[in-house]
Amino acid sequence: MVSFRVVGQLSGVALTALCWSGIAAAQSAPAVGAPDQVAAAGAAPGDIIVTANKREQNLNDVGVTAAVVGGDALKQQNLTSLSDVATRIPSLSYAAAPNGTPVYTLRGVGFYETSIGAYPSVSIYTDEIPLSFPIMTSHSTFDLERLEVLKGPQGTLFGQNATGGAINYIVAKPTDTLQAGGSLTYGRFNQIQGEAYLSGPITDTLSARVAGRIETGDGWQISDSRPDDRNGKTRNYMGRLQIAFKPVDGLRLLLNVNGWKDKSETQAGQNIALQFQNENLGVPYGYPVGAFRNPAEIAAPFSPNNPRAADWSLGSSLYGPGKVPYADNDMYQVSLRADIDVGHLGTITSLSAYTRFNERQGNDSDGLPINALDVPLTLGTIKTFYQELRFANDPKNPFRIVLGANYEWDKVSQQMNIDYSASSAPIGFGTLFGLPLGVDAVNNDQTMRNYAFFGNVEYDVVPNLTLKGGLRYTDARDRANICQYDPQAPYNAGTLFEIFTSAYQGTALQPYVPGSCMALNVDAQSPANRAVDYLPYGAMGPYQQTLEEHNVSWKVGADYKLTPGTLIYFNVSKGYKAGSFPTVTATALSQYVPARQESVLAYEGGIKATLLHRALQFNLAGFYYDYRNKQLRTKLNDPTFGLLDVLRNIPKSSIKGFELELTARPARDLTFNAAYTYLDAKIDEFIGTNAGGDTGINFAGTDVPYTPRHQVAISANYNPEISSHLKLLAGATLNFRSSTIATLGGDVNPSTINATSTNCVYCIGDYALLDAQFGVEDADGRWRAFIWGKNITNTYYWTNVVSGYDTVSRFAGLPATYGVTVSYKFR
């Protein structure tokens, strides 16, 4: 594992304390309560210390690529979520899935999947304890010492689901002296945020820290059809208790109990286009094109290019009246870390954790005031148990090893209830079959078991040359039971599937029993074949399958110190992401066939140079990824139901690029940071269906979605003394992302698009965000007061575009937000 800390007394941050590829904004102050604030041997003030393989080193002496945001920077810039942080770190992208599941892409490697039970490609940890599923990470950004982003495959130390990289929350720890503090923020949309902590000793061997955060705010989205209606209310509550116990020398225990509650309103989409997927049904039956369109969909206006514009439903045919965008979710986690010193040999570390997540929420993804495609109720639970045991030898040894094993058990259940009663489907199927379809439901129950054995070695061949290598074997099993059913009388969908069973089997109808599973046992790609062996051809039933996989992740590399301030490094690594079962509505059971595991073979080299007596830091890294079997949610054009979702493997993709970072300190109180990332991420082999239902498309040469080619971050921070008791806090950041796409081939509008408010429906446009902070703090850092602004130019931008049954919608980024924060520390 890799963790970082800033050593020495540094000046306070008024801007981001970012460390791109080992560059830290040298103004970042150590987090209050951070453990072990004694500098590593030879460390100088301002150094970033990396404990790779459980030993302390100056990050500029280690061949790793990372970004770090300090705890003070998170507070001062009001970065309250990982999605906020993603806008500050080049090569890290965030997309808002329509059901609220966050999707992170790092250097073009990511997995867009709306199911809560899908492992990510960028793994996320809290103090080395995994948050195995992205939905669990929604409210972990509080009372942190720092947040780390490791770029490139991290398979040997972070496991199989880190093909893109790993993100590690480092929480502030219990302190040996009594400390307390708090902050209060008031901002636009009546945003109120309060955060506080209390930390200190209980006995000579026992200390504790308790921290909490509350976030409230009014709705920021404005209804297109009801100008007085608002959406986006915030109601979040977070807490964490840590107890550190050192009963004897050589034994350290840390108990962490944390959790959160989210009762906010989920974001609604913006209606930007219409694409009536089922119009191909009208031709064989002699109906004119457009005969099945719902006039209410056509009459609904497109959302303007305004970040606050959106629309949502105030009820559902499934559950009656009641605002659709809402959430009532919670998570809690209990973890125990034990470190046992084994004489002079090294340290044994045990990590144990149990995590539970509960979901109850509704999402309006079509951006309309009607139920063209809404998910008015999603119920979900996740239970996770994790255990790791490892040994690391004496870090002073020139031959250093880490050996370990871990085990993880996950049980995930998700029920999605889908309402498309105001789409063209009821009209089309009502006309053709006398069965107006409008509702659907899917249950996906999975039980996952993973175990792994890993090892990592480093050997100092000579004082300025280190060779390194790592290996991990992983065995993974995922048992899935997926059932699609008709949730509402008169069970029109179930009756229609009865007709289909007769059409496939040529026998009497298989009667639909309300509540039973109704997807058909056929292969959608080869309709003459069965999808599963345990059901008759064409019969209705559940999809039951076990996915068993194993892999060997590895890494080799070398670090060469050319001069005391210059490091050259080269790494070759291979990582894997586990396969996944989709949660989708389906005609055929073959749509639930899982995507198999993907892999990334990465080549990376770079240089880090500290110049001009530490006044300038220069970093350059170049990389090439051979990306195999990328998992991607794409489309299937069903001859009866039109466009349906399916999970596929992309045989071959490639990513190449480079990152350039500079940190300059022309004066003691002035710091400039600049970072640029270039990515060329392409699909090399894949033939499939685009978001509009056009089939047989060769996507070779198409850009990988959610991967801007150019990403720039520029910041400046000025922190001078303005009196013997006061310091000025002044800073600004400018972040630019070039355009990208939200789906394969998204730069060309599908042929099914027949009405639109934009020339490129599935494009994510380029944008630049400007943030700033200004305030004062006292000289010893006890209190501070400042104003802040995010997206102060009110730039309209969006992070995702999704297709519905008839609609296409955007999910916009937040408009300009601003506020004032005051904080105080007691020591």
Side-chain angles (χ1 to χ4, degrees), residues 608-633:
K608 303 177 182 182
T610 305
L611 307 170
L612 303 178
H613 303 288
R614 300 170 61 85
L616 178 66
Q617 179 70 41
F618 167 84
N619 288 358
L620 177 65
F623 49 88
Y624 173 81
Y625 291 173
D626 183 357
Y627 199 175
R628 299 299 177 105
N629 292 318
K630 173 180 172 60
Q631 299 168 16
L632 186 72
R633 180 180 277 237

PDB file of all heavy atoms in Angstrom, residues 608-633:
ATOM      1  N   LYS A 608      11.587  12.891 -12.223  1.00  0.00           N
ATOM      2  CA  LYS A 608      11.251  13.888 -11.216  1.00  0.00           C
ATOM      3  C   LYS A 608      12.523  14.641 -10.884  1.00  0.00           C
ATOM      4  O   LYS A 608      13.550  14.032 -10.565  1.00  0.00           O
ATOM      5  CB  LYS A 608      10.701  13.230  -9.955  1.00  0.00           C
ATOM      6  CG  LYS A 608       9.480  12.360 -10.164  1.00  0.00           C
ATOM      7  CD  LYS A 608       9.057  11.707  -8.857  1.00  0.00           C
ATOM      8  CE  LYS A 608       7.866  10.793  -9.053  1.00  0.00           C
ATOM      9  NZ  LYS A 608       7.412  10.192  -7.776  1.00  0.00           N
ATOM     10  N   ALA A 609      12.433  15.961 -10.932  1.00  0.00           N
ATOM     11  CA  ALA A 609      13.633  16.769 -10.696  1.00  0.00           C
ATOM     12  C   ALA A 609      13.304  17.937  -9.781  1.00  0.00           C
ATOM     13  O   ALA A 609      12.361  18.695 -10.032  1.00  0.00           O
ATOM     14  CB  ALA A 609      14.202  17.288 -12.016  1.00  0.00           C
ATOM     15  N   THR A 610      14.076  18.071  -8.711  1.00  0.00           N
ATOM     16  CA  THR A 610      13.984  19.214  -7.804  1.00  0.00           C
ATOM     17  C   THR A 610      15.122  20.161  -8.145  1.00  0.00           C
ATOM     18  O   THR A 610      16.307  19.789  -8.045  1.00  0.00           O
ATOM     19  CB  THR A 610      14.094  18.761  -6.344  1.00  0.00           C
ATOM     20  OG1 THR A 610      13.098  17.772  -6.081  1.00  0.00           O
ATOM     21  CG2 THR A 610      13.898  19.928  -5.397  1.00  0.00           C
ATOM     22  N   LEU A 611      14.784  21.391  -8.551  1.00  0.00           N
ATOM     23  CA  LEU A 611      15.751  22.307  -9.117  1.00  0.00           C
ATOM     24  C   LEU A 611      15.757  23.638  -8.381  1.00  0.00           C
ATOM     25  O   LEU A 611      14.859  23.929  -7.576  1.00  0.00           O
ATOM     26  CB  LEU A 611      15.423  22.547 -10.598  1.00  0.00           C
ATOM     27  CG  LEU A 611      15.260  21.291 -11.479  1.00  0.00           C
ATOM     28  CD1 LEU A 611      14.706  21.667 -12.840  1.00  0.00           C
ATOM     29  CD2 LEU A 611      16.579  20.547 -11.604  1.00  0.00           C
ATOM     30  N   LEU A 612      16.789  24.440  -8.660  1.00  0.00           N
ATOM     31  CA  LEU A 612      16.892  25.819  -8.171  1.00  0.00           C
ATOM     32  C   LEU A 612      16.732  25.896  -6.659  1.00  0.00           C
ATOM     33  O   LEU A 612      15.953  26.694  -6.131  1.00  0.00           O
ATOM     34  CB  LEU A 612      15.860  26.718  -8.866  1.00  0.00           C
ATOM     35  CG  LEU A 612      15.918  26.769 -10.396  1.00  0.00           C
ATOM     36  CD1 LEU A 612      14.815  27.653 -10.933  1.00  0.00           C
ATOM     37  CD2 LEU A 612      17.288  27.264 -10.859  1.00  0.00           C
ATOM     38  N   HIS A 613      17.484  25.029  -5.975  1.00  0.00           N
ATOM     39  CA  HIS A 613      17.466  25.016  -4.509  1.00  0.00           C
ATOM     40  C   HIS A 613      16.044  24.820  -3.975  1.00  0.00           C
ATOM     41  O   HIS A 613      15.601  25.534  -3.080  1.00  0.00           O
ATOM     42  CB  HIS A 613      18.085  26.301  -3.946  1.00  0.00           C
ATOM     43  CG  HIS A 613      19.483  26.549  -4.416  1.00  0.00           C
ATOM     44  ND1 HIS A 613      20.560  25.807  -3.980  1.00  0.00           N
ATOM     45  CD2 HIS A 613      19.975  27.447  -5.326  1.00  0.00           C
ATOM     46  CE1 HIS A 613      21.666  26.244  -4.578  1.00  0.00           C
ATOM     47  NE2 HIS A 613      21.337  27.247  -5.401  1.00  0.00           N
ATOM     48  N   ARG A 614      15.329  23.877  -4.564  1.00  0.00           N
ATOM     49  CA  ARG A 614      13.989  23.481  -4.159  1.00  0.00           C
ATOM     50  C   ARG A 614      12.920  24.515  -4.493  1.00  0.00           C
ATOM     51  O   ARG A 614      11.771  24.406  -4.041  1.00  0.00           O
ATOM     52  CB  ARG A 614      13.923  23.157  -2.660  1.00  0.00           C
ATOM     53  CG  ARG A 614      14.856  22.024  -2.241  1.00  0.00           C
ATOM     54  CD  ARG A 614      14.934  21.897  -0.733  1.00  0.00           C
ATOM     55  NE  ARG A 614      13.640  21.604  -0.158  1.00  0.00           N
ATOM     56  CZ  ARG A 614      13.110  20.377  -0.038  1.00  0.00           C
ATOM     57  NH1 ARG A 614      13.794  19.324  -0.475  1.00  0.00           N
ATOM     58  NH2 ARG A 614      11.939  20.200   0.510  1.00  0.00           N
ATOM     59  N   ALA A 615      13.265  25.506  -5.317  1.00  0.00           N
ATOM     60  CA  ALA A 615      12.280  26.500  -5.715  1.00  0.00           C
ATOM     61  C   ALA A 615      11.441  26.023  -6.899  1.00  0.00           C
ATOM     62  O   ALA A 615      10.399  26.623  -7.192  1.00  0.00           O
ATOM     63  CB  ALA A 615      12.960  27.822  -6.071  1.00  0.00           C
ATOM     64  N   LEU A 616      11.877  24.964  -7.585  1.00  0.00           N
ATOM     65  CA  LEU A 616      11.159  24.467  -8.754  1.00  0.00           C
ATOM     66  C   LEU A 616      11.142  22.946  -8.726  1.00  0.00           C
ATOM     67  O   LEU A 616      12.173  22.303  -8.516  1.00  0.00           O
ATOM     68  CB  LEU A 616      11.831  24.954 -10.043  1.00  0.00           C
ATOM     69  CG  LEU A 616      11.201  24.457 -11.359  1.00  0.00           C
ATOM     70  CD1 LEU A 616       9.802  25.038 -11.528  1.00  0.00           C
ATOM     71  CD2 LEU A 616      12.094  24.832 -12.543  1.00  0.00           C
ATOM     72  N   GLN A 617       9.973  22.377  -8.917  1.00  0.00           N
ATOM     73  CA  GLN A 617       9.811  20.930  -9.050  1.00  0.00           C
ATOM     74  C   GLN A 617       9.263  20.639 -10.442  1.00  0.00           C
ATOM     75  O   GLN A 617       8.257  21.205 -10.864  1.00  0.00           O
ATOM     76  CB  GLN A 617       8.861  20.374  -7.994  1.00  0.00           C
ATOM     77  CG  GLN A 617       8.625  18.884  -8.082  1.00  0.00           C
ATOM     78  CD  GLN A 617       9.850  18.060  -7.686  1.00  0.00           C
ATOM     79  OE1 GLN A 617      10.525  18.408  -6.712  1.00  0.00           O
ATOM     80  NE2 GLN A 617      10.131  17.015  -8.436  1.00  0.00           N
ATOM     81  N   PHE A 618       9.939  19.731 -11.154  1.00  0.00           N
ATOM     82  CA  PHE A 618       9.557  19.370 -12.514  1.00  0.00           C
ATOM     83  C   PHE A 618       9.337  17.864 -12.574  1.00  0.00           C
ATOM     84  O   PHE A 618      10.200  17.081 -12.183  1.00  0.00           O
ATOM     85  CB  PHE A 618      10.656  19.776 -13.500  1.00  0.00           C
ATOM     86  CG  PHE A 618      10.500  19.184 -14.874  1.00  0.00           C
ATOM     87  CD1 PHE A 618       9.684  19.785 -15.814  1.00  0.00           C
ATOM     88  CD2 PHE A 618      11.175  18.014 -15.233  1.00  0.00           C
ATOM     89  CE1 PHE A 618       9.546  19.242 -17.080  1.00  0.00           C
ATOM     90  CE2 PHE A 618      11.039  17.469 -16.493  1.00  0.00           C
ATOM     91  CZ  PHE A 618      10.223  18.081 -17.418  1.00  0.00           C
ATOM     92  N   ASN A 619       8.186  17.450 -13.071  1.00  0.00           N
ATOM     93  CA  ASN A 619       7.868  16.028 -13.223  1.00  0.00           C
ATOM     94  C   ASN A 619       7.324  15.778 -14.614  1.00  0.00           C
ATOM     95  O   ASN A 619       6.501  16.551 -15.115  1.00  0.00           O
ATOM     96  CB  ASN A 619       6.822  15.571 -12.203  1.00  0.00           C
ATOM     97  CG  ASN A 619       7.378  15.484 -10.797  1.00  0.00           C
ATOM     98  OD1 ASN A 619       8.545  15.719 -10.566  1.00  0.00           O
ATOM     99  ND2 ASN A 619       6.507  15.156  -9.861  1.00  0.00           N
ATOM    100  N   LEU A 620       7.731  14.683 -15.204  1.00  0.00           N
ATOM    101  CA  LEU A 620       7.236  14.279 -16.516  1.00  0.00           C
ATOM    102  C   LEU A 620       7.075  12.771 -16.520  1.00  0.00           C
ATOM    103  O   LEU A 620       7.986  12.040 -16.110  1.00  0.00           O
ATOM    104  CB  LEU A 620       8.208  14.715 -17.619  1.00  0.00           C
ATOM    105  CG  LEU A 620       7.849  14.282 -19.046  1.00  0.00           C
ATOM    106  CD1 LEU A 620       6.545  14.947 -19.497  1.00  0.00           C
ATOM    107  CD2 LEU A 620       8.990  14.617 -20.006  1.00  0.00           C
ATOM    108  N   ALA A 621       5.916  12.299 -16.946  1.00  0.00           N
ATOM    109  CA  ALA A 621       5.660  10.866 -17.028  1.00  0.00           C
ATOM    110  C   ALA A 621       4.961  10.559 -18.341  1.00  0.00           C
ATOM    111  O   ALA A 621       4.054  11.288 -18.760  1.00  0.00           O
ATOM    112  CB  ALA A 621       4.802  10.391 -15.858  1.00  0.00           C
ATOM    113  N   GLY A 622       5.392   9.489 -19.001  1.00  0.00           N
ATOM    114  CA  GLY A 622       4.748   9.016 -20.214  1.00  0.00           C
ATOM    115  C   GLY A 622       4.290   7.575 -20.029  1.00  0.00           C
ATOM    116  O   GLY A 622       4.912   6.813 -19.277  1.00  0.00           O
ATOM    117  N   PHE A 623       3.201   7.178 -20.694  1.00  0.00           N
ATOM    118  CA  PHE A 623       2.665   5.840 -20.464  1.00  0.00           C
ATOM    119  C   PHE A 623       1.959   5.322 -21.711  1.00  0.00           C
ATOM    120  O   PHE A 623       1.495   6.090 -22.574  1.00  0.00           O
ATOM    121  CB  PHE A 623       1.687   5.845 -19.284  1.00  0.00           C
ATOM    122  CG  PHE A 623       0.649   6.933 -19.334  1.00  0.00           C
ATOM    123  CD1 PHE A 623      -0.555   6.749 -19.995  1.00  0.00           C
ATOM    124  CD2 PHE A 623       0.893   8.160 -18.730  1.00  0.00           C
ATOM    125  CE1 PHE A 623      -1.498   7.752 -20.058  1.00  0.00           C
ATOM    126  CE2 PHE A 623      -0.054   9.177 -18.785  1.00  0.00           C
ATOM    127  CZ  PHE A 623      -1.260   8.970 -19.452  1.00  0.00           C
ATOM    128  N   TYR A 624       1.894   3.993 -21.783  1.00  0.00           N
ATOM    129  CA  TYR A 624       1.140   3.300 -22.828  1.00  0.00           C
ATOM    130  C   TYR A 624       0.428   2.126 -22.183  1.00  0.00           C
ATOM    131  O   TYR A 624       1.033   1.344 -21.455  1.00  0.00           O
ATOM    132  CB  TYR A 624       2.058   2.793 -23.948  1.00  0.00           C
ATOM    133  CG  TYR A 624       1.323   1.930 -24.952  1.00  0.00           C
ATOM    134  CD1 TYR A 624       0.568   2.510 -25.958  1.00  0.00           C
ATOM    135  CD2 TYR A 624       1.370   0.533 -24.865  1.00  0.00           C
ATOM    136  CE1 TYR A 624      -0.129   1.726 -26.875  1.00  0.00           C
ATOM    137  CE2 TYR A 624       0.673  -0.257 -25.777  1.00  0.00           C
ATOM    138  CZ  TYR A 624      -0.073   0.344 -26.775  1.00  0.00           C
ATOM    139  OH  TYR A 624      -0.762  -0.436 -27.654  1.00  0.00           O
ATOM    140  N   TYR A 625      -0.896   2.015 -22.448  1.00  0.00           N
ATOM    141  CA  TYR A 625      -1.706   0.942 -21.887  1.00  0.00           C
ATOM    142  C   TYR A 625      -2.216   0.042 -23.013  1.00  0.00           C
ATOM    143  O   TYR A 625      -2.823   0.529 -23.982  1.00  0.00           O
ATOM    144  CB  TYR A 625      -2.937   1.489 -21.152  1.00  0.00           C
ATOM    145  CG  TYR A 625      -2.672   2.230 -19.871  1.00  0.00           C
ATOM    146  CD1 TYR A 625      -3.716   2.881 -19.206  1.00  0.00           C
ATOM    147  CD2 TYR A 625      -1.397   2.308 -19.302  1.00  0.00           C
ATOM    148  CE1 TYR A 625      -3.503   3.569 -18.024  1.00  0.00           C
ATOM    149  CE2 TYR A 625      -1.173   3.001 -18.130  1.00  0.00           C
ATOM    150  CZ  TYR A 625      -2.226   3.638 -17.495  1.00  0.00           C
ATOM    151  OH  TYR A 625      -2.015   4.312 -16.328  1.00  0.00           O
ATOM    152  N   ASP A 626      -2.008  -1.250 -22.859  1.00  0.00           N
ATOM    153  CA  ASP A 626      -2.643  -2.255 -23.701  1.00  0.00           C
ATOM    154  C   ASP A 626      -3.860  -2.762 -22.932  1.00  0.00           C
ATOM    155  O   ASP A 626      -3.737  -3.520 -21.981  1.00  0.00           O
ATOM    156  CB  ASP A 626      -1.653  -3.390 -23.985  1.00  0.00           C
ATOM    157  CG  ASP A 626      -2.228  -4.434 -24.929  1.00  0.00           C
ATOM    158  OD1 ASP A 626      -3.403  -4.315 -25.322  1.00  0.00           O
ATOM    159  OD2 ASP A 626      -1.506  -5.395 -25.262  1.00  0.00           O
ATOM    160  N   TYR A 627      -5.047  -2.326 -23.354  1.00  0.00           N
ATOM    161  CA  TYR A 627      -6.293  -2.497 -22.604  1.00  0.00           C
ATOM    162  C   TYR A 627      -7.095  -3.616 -23.280  1.00  0.00           C
ATOM    163  O   TYR A 627      -7.560  -3.457 -24.411  1.00  0.00           O
ATOM    164  CB  TYR A 627      -7.048  -1.171 -22.641  1.00  0.00           C
ATOM    165  CG  TYR A 627      -8.111  -0.939 -21.609  1.00  0.00           C
ATOM    166  CD1 TYR A 627      -8.750   0.302 -21.538  1.00  0.00           C
ATOM    167  CD2 TYR A 627      -8.502  -1.911 -20.704  1.00  0.00           C
ATOM    168  CE1 TYR A 627      -9.740   0.562 -20.603  1.00  0.00           C
ATOM    169  CE2 TYR A 627      -9.487  -1.667 -19.761  1.00  0.00           C
ATOM    170  CZ  TYR A 627     -10.103  -0.430 -19.720  1.00  0.00           C
ATOM    171  OH  TYR A 627     -11.085  -0.182 -18.797  1.00  0.00           O
ATOM    172  N   ARG A 628      -7.269  -4.755 -22.598  1.00  0.00           N
ATOM    173  CA  ARG A 628      -7.944  -5.908 -23.180  1.00  0.00           C
ATOM    174  C   ARG A 628      -9.269  -6.191 -22.476  1.00  0.00           C
ATOM    175  O   ARG A 628      -9.360  -6.144 -21.251  1.00  0.00           O
ATOM    176  CB  ARG A 628      -7.048  -7.150 -23.101  1.00  0.00           C
ATOM    177  CG  ARG A 628      -5.730  -7.021 -23.862  1.00  0.00           C
ATOM    178  CD  ARG A 628      -5.959  -6.794 -25.351  1.00  0.00           C
ATOM    179  NE  ARG A 628      -4.736  -6.602 -26.092  1.00  0.00           N
ATOM    180  CZ  ARG A 628      -4.196  -7.535 -26.894  1.00  0.00           C
ATOM    181  NH1 ARG A 628      -4.784  -8.715 -27.029  1.00  0.00           N
ATOM    182  NH2 ARG A 628      -3.079  -7.273 -27.541  1.00  0.00           N
ATOM    183  N   ASN A 629     -10.292  -6.507 -23.292  1.00  0.00           N
ATOM    184  CA  ASN A 629     -11.621  -6.900 -22.792  1.00  0.00           C
ATOM    185  C   ASN A 629     -12.256  -5.845 -21.894  1.00  0.00           C
ATOM    186  O   ASN A 629     -12.890  -6.179 -20.890  1.00  0.00           O
ATOM    187  CB  ASN A 629     -11.545  -8.246 -22.060  1.00  0.00           C
ATOM    188  CG  ASN A 629     -11.227  -9.390 -23.002  1.00  0.00           C
ATOM    189  OD1 ASN A 629     -11.763  -9.455 -24.099  1.00  0.00           O
ATOM    190  ND2 ASN A 629     -10.350 -10.278 -22.579  1.00  0.00           N
ATOM    191  N   LYS A 630     -12.094  -4.599 -22.260  1.00  0.00           N
ATOM    192  CA  LYS A 630     -12.721  -3.513 -21.492  1.00  0.00           C
ATOM    193  C   LYS A 630     -14.217  -3.780 -21.355  1.00  0.00           C
ATOM    194  O   LYS A 630     -14.906  -4.095 -22.322  1.00  0.00           O
ATOM    195  CB  LYS A 630     -12.506  -2.164 -22.183  1.00  0.00           C
ATOM    196  CG  LYS A 630     -13.266  -1.010 -21.540  1.00  0.00           C
ATOM    197  CD  LYS A 630     -13.023   0.294 -22.270  1.00  0.00           C
ATOM    198  CE  LYS A 630     -13.932   1.394 -21.729  1.00  0.00           C
ATOM    199  NZ  LYS A 630     -13.727   1.667 -20.297  1.00  0.00           N
ATOM    200  N   GLN A 631     -14.722  -3.648 -20.138  1.00  0.00           N
ATOM    201  CA  GLN A 631     -16.147  -3.848 -19.877  1.00  0.00           C
ATOM    202  C   GLN A 631     -16.901  -2.548 -20.156  1.00  0.00           C
ATOM    203  O   GLN A 631     -16.525  -1.485 -19.665  1.00  0.00           O
ATOM    204  CB  GLN A 631     -16.362  -4.282 -18.433  1.00  0.00           C
ATOM    205  CG  GLN A 631     -15.675  -5.593 -18.082  1.00  0.00           C
ATOM    206  CD  GLN A 631     -15.663  -5.859 -16.598  1.00  0.00           C
ATOM    207  OE1 GLN A 631     -16.391  -5.248 -15.835  1.00  0.00           O
ATOM    208  NE2 GLN A 631     -14.798  -6.781 -16.171  1.00  0.00           N
ATOM    209  N   LEU A 632     -17.952  -2.668 -20.972  1.00  0.00           N
ATOM    210  CA  LEU A 632     -18.666  -1.470 -21.377  1.00  0.00           C
ATOM    211  C   LEU A 632     -20.159  -1.772 -21.493  1.00  0.00           C
ATOM    212  O   LEU A 632     -20.563  -2.757 -22.109  1.00  0.00           O
ATOM    213  CB  LEU A 632     -18.143  -0.963 -22.730  1.00  0.00           C
ATOM    214  CG  LEU A 632     -18.712   0.372 -23.195  1.00  0.00           C
ATOM    215  CD1 LEU A 632     -18.134   1.510 -22.356  1.00  0.00           C
ATOM    216  CD2 LEU A 632     -18.387   0.601 -24.663  1.00  0.00           C
ATOM    217  N   ARG A 633     -20.959  -0.909 -20.892  1.00  0.00           N
ATOM    218  CA  ARG A 633     -22.414  -1.002 -21.073  1.00  0.00           C
ATOM    219  C   ARG A 633     -22.744  -0.389 -22.429  1.00  0.00           C
ATOM    220  O   ARG A 633     -22.472   0.783 -22.672  1.00  0.00           O
ATOM    221  CB  ARG A 633     -23.155  -0.274 -19.961  1.00  0.00           C
ATOM    222  CG  ARG A 633     -24.675  -0.356 -20.112  1.00  0.00           C
ATOM    223  CD  ARG A 633     -25.388   0.374 -19.000  1.00  0.00           C
ATOM    224  NE  ARG A 633     -25.518  -0.444 -17.815  1.00  0.00           N
ATOM    225  CZ  ARG A 633     -26.688  -0.734 -17.222  1.00  0.00           C
ATOM    226  NH1 ARG A 633     -27.809  -0.301 -17.747  1.00  0.00           N
ATOM    227  NH2 ARG A 633     -26.713  -1.448 -16.142  1.00  0.00           N
TER     228      ARG A 633
END
